[in-house]
């Protein structure tokens, strides 16, 4: 039996083999009975005990841990970027190219993993991705300084591995939880982005200082990544798609990939929130790479530090920026979740409106960074703290908007394509673009310390303008949010009432 939805055929199937839980549904096969346990051997009882640990809360905790490692690995390179520049002998544009190649491979792979994630076992795909990026990161620490392009290529391979995780893991949480529980769990999951990013700076600079060699910054996170991959294989279930959204039935998609893309393109809330997400990615991608460098150059102008002429270079700014990113990320996501929950009592459009206000407020404080940095590093850190907190408010909310306006069987594809567009228009080009503009401006006064500082600041001034544009996109999302949410809910209701749907042959 099939129903028609968005012009795509979808099959409605019974789900008598499912067991409801407080936060979702789980296959009865995963829940052993007491009679079965009594007849089991010691090894079988151990296996049954492991199955009992496969709860939604455990799965969410492991996936959040994996997300921390995902972003920690991504920004470890940024924590030792100055050393990498000195080791390989590259300028600002060459350094920015590392992040650009990483993001380009990430976004190209995202739609592929979105397609696979909507059709095949998701936890196997996640584990393979983790093992890939961990192995490549470890091997990249042994690349000699004559082969910079091999190092660049390795970052591209890491991007492919991490793309699988970012595209699929939120959909598993979306299928384990519902309503406010899902909002809370997604908030915790997305706290891992700033936390992992900040820990990447801290890990990179700390490992370098401890070993006296920046290469060791790339040799710690791979071991943790492989541990996370094993935990996912053993303790994370692959729940039926859309389980918590439906009580007695589930949807098994028969729609083609092209049909899914067309339906998402008609979803205006999804389109505008994806464009807003691209603005966030543009700013965070550029800041993650260049702000520690910018603050170091500001201190060179103030003559409080000496220019780095030989390795290892000072890591103080990377450590401080990493700590600020950790704190502001956690604070921003908590504020975002609490503010959204409160504002939902006032208006049903609370999710996109909270995002819009936080983006516009963030742009103001980010502009102030470039005003005060020349005179006061502490003042610049205060502006960074407030600006980043406001910017991070919308991360978990954006994911929740997607869960509301996209039907369950398209969510992995939707997450993947949102990642694709946000990276394509955002941090795929922003690190390299900022480095290119900075390098072009430096040519006028190549030997001037002041001009090196100012040129990077002028290039980074592009970020607040893009953030304002992102705020406008969130306001546009608010206009269509209720209609798109209702359409998604009606599609789920059709699956619960097979007798009420149009039958096709």
């Amino acid at each position: 039996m099939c129903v028609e939805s968005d012009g795509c055929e979808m099959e409605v199937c019974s789900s008598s083999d499912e067991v409801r839980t407080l936060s979702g549904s789980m296959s009865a096969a995963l829940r052993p009975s007491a009679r079965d346990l009594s007849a089991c051997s010691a090894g079988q009882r151990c296996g049954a005990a492991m199955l009992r640990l496969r709860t939604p809360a455990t799965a969410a905790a492991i996936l959040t841990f994996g997300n921390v490692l995902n972003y920690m690995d991504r920004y470890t390179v940024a924590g030792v970027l100055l050393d990498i520049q000195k080791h390989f002998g590259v300028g600002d544009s060459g350094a920015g190219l590392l992040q650009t190649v990483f993001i380009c491979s990430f976004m190209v792979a995202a739609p592929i993993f979105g397609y696979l994630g909507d059709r095949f076992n998701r936890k196997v795909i996640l584990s393979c991705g983790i093992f890939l990026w961990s192995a490549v990161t470890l091997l990249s620490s042994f690349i000699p300084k004559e082969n910079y392009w091999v190092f660049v290529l390795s970052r591209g391979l890491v991007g492919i591995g991490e793309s699988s995780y970012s595209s699929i893991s939120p959909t598993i949480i979306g299928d384990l939880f519902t309503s406010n529980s899902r909002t809370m769990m997604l908030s915790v999951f997305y706290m891992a982005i700033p936390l992992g990013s900040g820990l990447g700076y801290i890990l990179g600079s700390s490992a370098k200082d401890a070993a006296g060699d920046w290469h060791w910054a790339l040799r710690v996170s791979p071991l943790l990544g492989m541990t996370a991959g094993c935990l996912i294989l053993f303790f994370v279930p692959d729940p039926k798609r859309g389980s918590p959204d439906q009580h007695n039935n589930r949807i098994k998609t028969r729609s083609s990939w092209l049909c899914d893309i067309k339906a998402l393109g008609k979803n205006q809330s999804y389109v505008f929130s994806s464009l807003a997400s691209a603005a966030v990615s543009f700013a965070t991608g550029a800041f993650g790479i260049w702000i520690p460098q910018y603050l170091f150059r500001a201190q060179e102008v103030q003559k409080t530090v000496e220019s780095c002429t030989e390795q290892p270079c000072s890591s103080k700014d990377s450590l401080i920026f990493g700590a600020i990113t950790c704190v502001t990320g956690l604070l921003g996501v908590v504020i975002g979740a609490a503010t959204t929950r409160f504002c939902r009592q006032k208006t049903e459009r609370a999710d996109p409106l909270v995002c819009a206000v936080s983006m516009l407020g963030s742009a103001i404080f980010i502009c102030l960074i470039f005003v005060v940095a020349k005179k006061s590093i502490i003042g610049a850190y205060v502006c960074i703290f407030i600006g980043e907190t406001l910017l991070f408010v919308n991360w978990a909310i954006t994911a929740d908007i997607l869960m509301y306006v996209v039907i369950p069987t398209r969510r992995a594809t939707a997450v993947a394509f949102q990642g694709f567009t946000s990276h394509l228009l955002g941090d795929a080009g922003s690190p390299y673009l900022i480095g290119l503009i900075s390098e072009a401006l430096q040519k006028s006064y190549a030997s001037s310390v002041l001009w090196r500082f100012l040129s990077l600041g002028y290039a980074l001034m592009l970020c607040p303008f893009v953030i304002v544009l992102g705020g406008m996109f969130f306001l546009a999302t608010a206009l269509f949010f209720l209609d798109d949410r209702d359409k998604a809910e009606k599609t789920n209701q059709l699956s619960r009432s097979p007798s009420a749907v149009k039958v096709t042959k």
Side-chain angles (χ1 to χ4, degrees), residues 276-298:
S277 180
V280 177
S281 293
F282 185 98
T284 55
F287 274 25
I289 292 293
W290 293 116
I291 282 294
Q293 289 265 43
Y294 178 73
L295 296 176
F296 183 81
R297 294 182 187 184

Side-chain angles (χ1 to χ4, degrees), residues 82-83 86 208 292-317 377 449 452:
L82 192 56
D83 294 274
K86 297 296 182 184
K208 179 197 72 175
Q293 289 265 43
Y294 178 73
L295 296 176
F296 183 81
R297 294 182 187 184
Q299 292 171 84
E300 286 183 311
V301 171
Q302 297 171 20
K303 298 183 178 179
T304 56
V305 300
E306 297 292 332
S307 299
C308 180
T309 55
E310 57 184 49
Q311 300 177 56
C313 300
S314 173
S315 302
K316 185 183 72 172
D317 296 297
I377 294 297
V449 173
R452 287 179 68 248

Side-chain angles (χ1 to χ4, degrees), residues 81-104:
L81 186 62
L82 192 56
D83 294 274
I84 291 174
Q85 284 185 275
K86 297 296 182 184
H87 180 78
F88 289 105
V90 295
D92 287 353
S93 61
L97 186 63
L98 285 174
Q99 186 73 352
T100 294
V101 168
F102 170 88
I103 295 298
C104 285

Side-chain angles (χ1 to χ4, degrees), residues 411-425:
R411 284 176 183 164
T413 298
V415 171
F417 265 87
Q418 186 171 84
F420 177 85
T421 55
S422 66
H423 291 310
L424 176 66
L425 302 176

Side-chain angles (χ1 to χ4, degrees), residues 121-140:
N121 190 299
R122 289 175 286 187
K123 71 173 186 177
V124 173
I125 299 172
L126 291 183
S127 299
C128 291
I130 289 179
F131 289 130
L132 173 63
W133 99 56
S134 299
V136 173
T137 298
L138 180 62
L139 292 174
S140 69

